[in-house]
Amino acid sequence: MSVPLASYLLVALILFCVGLFGALTKRNAVVVLLSIELMLNAVNINLVAFSKYGVMPNLTGQIFSLFSITLAAAGAAVGVAILIALYRNRATVNVDEMDLLKR
């Protein structure tokens, strides 16, 4: 039994839309980071699906998705470290109140 390409694309579209909605509407920085991770996972699903069902199926998309997952994990670690430092200084994780560079 094979899952069609449209199913992968639909799941990726839903994940990306949920992530985009969360990143644009939420004020909590942790939720914004999680939303960005959702969008990156949607892109990874597309990479793997196209590497399997593409015109020339090969492992390039899957390897690139592993590279993307590694970079996303590193980015999330740096983002959480920045959030912890900001929380220690400002005692909030609200994105609207993080305007330190504007002053």
Side-chain angles (χ1 to χ4, degrees):
M1 185 170 117
S2 177
V3 179
L5 177 63
S7 300
Y8 289 111
L9 297 180
L10 183 65
V11 169
L13 175 70
I14 292 169
L15 271 180
F16 191 85
C17 288
V18 169
L20 185 64
F21 178 76
L24 292 179
T25 59
K26 301 299 179 186
R27 298 292 170 233
N28 189 338
V30 176
V31 175
V32 171
L33 278 177
L34 289 174
S35 299
I36 291 171
E37 292 295 321
L38 274 180
M39 289 191 288
L40 287 172
N41 284 330
V43 170
N44 287 333
I45 288 173
N46 279 340
L47 285 172
V48 172
F50 283 121
S51 75
K52 183 178 179 184
Y53 294 105
V55 177
M56 294 174 39
N58 55 20
L59 292 178
T60 306
Q62 295 176 22
I63 293 170
F64 193 70
S65 70
L66 287 175
F67 183 69
S68 173
I69 289 170
T70 305
L71 288 179
V78 171
V80 169
I82 291 171
L83 281 180
I84 289 172
L86 284 172
Y87 183 75
R88 285 183 182 168
N89 289 334
R90 313 275 315 251
T92 183
V93 290
N94 192 351
V95 177
D96 292 335
E97 297 175 14
M98 294 182 189
D99 56 354
L100 219 53
L101 295 178
K102 288 183 180 178
R103 296 179 193 172

